[in-house]
Amino acid sequence: MPISAALRSTRTYLTAAALTLAAACGAGAALPAAAAAARPVLDAEERALRSQINAYRAARGRAPLRVSAPLTRSAQWLSRDMAAKDYLDHVDSRGRDFDRRIAAFGFRGPTKGENLAGGAPDAAATFAMLKGSASHRRTMLRANLRLIGIGRAYGEGSTLGWYWSTTFGAGARRAGA
């Protein structure tokens, strides 16, 4: 197996292990350092949504968003929670708003935001929904935001089927960004 494939396989395993541990401990519970450091993996549609958001930002003179592990863990947890419990809300089933939830997953940066969408299985339709809302457009285009986390989940028999979460945060500027 080539080294890059082995690394991807290890990363996927560690992400799965961290998610399993998070589910066992309760979402937002303190995780061991190795599990907390595991980088979540975006699926193809989540990557496509990030690309569409970054293209939208670039067309308006904004820097691209980099994937943040804590923001992604928060977004993935919220999407799974909404799909399993059939709701769409910035306040999760544990009563946390997005600011408290993002902090529970380890994001300590300033300036946070969250966009939610439901009903579409693919990035193109989800992006169209987000772009169609003035408040979601404002969040996607905030110049001080540099980081993103994305999650989506399917809830069999739920009202919307697919649930999407995008969480945003400010991060340190990189050279050229």
Side-chain angles (χ1 to χ4, degrees):
M1 174 183 304
I3 290 178
S4 62
L7 289 174
R8 276 194 304 274
S9 177
T10 300
R11 186 178 306 142
T12 301
Y13 171 78
L14 289 173
T15 300
L19 293 174
T20 300
L21 185 58
C25 294
L31 296 175
R39 186 166 183 81
V41 177
L42 299 181
D43 70 23
E45 290 299 326
E46 292 164 344
R47 288 190 308 272
L49 181 61
R50 176 182 172 239
S51 293
Q52 290 175 7
I53 291 170
N54 277 338
Y56 185 60
R57 288 174 59 87
R60 284 146 188 84
R62 303 294 191 264
L65 300 170
R66 294 177 281 118
V67 174
S68 158
L71 292 175
T72 297
R73 283 192 296 272
S74 176
Q76 290 175 344
W77 182 88
L78 180 60
S79 291
R80 285 191 307 272
D81 191 59
M82 291 188 301
K85 295 181 173 110
D86 198 15
Y87 71 97
L88 183 72
D89 199 319
H90 292 285
V91 177
D92 67 31
S93 65
R94 295 179 174 207
R96 300 176 296 189
D97 64 9
F98 74 89
D99 195 46
R100 286 180 38 222
R101 183 178 45 263
I102 291 168
F105 280 89
F107 185 76
R108 302 288 183 251
T111 312
K112 302 164 190 101
E114 181 175 74
N115 284 343
L116 305 178
D122 62 271
T126 300
F127 179 71
M129 282 189 275
L130 295 172
K131 190 176 162 188
S133 160
S135 63
H136 291 100
R137 279 193 310 271
R138 276 192 303 276
T139 301
M140 289 189 292
L141 293 174
R142 284 173 52 191
N144 61 334
L145 298 177
R146 301 287 182 190
L147 304 170
I148 191 169
I150 302 173
R152 73 178 185 134
Y154 181 74
E156 183 71 39
S158 64
T159 304
L160 297 173
W162 287 96
Y163 295 80
W164 289 78
S165 305
T166 53
T167 54
F168 302 87
R173 291 178 182 247
R174 285 192 174 174

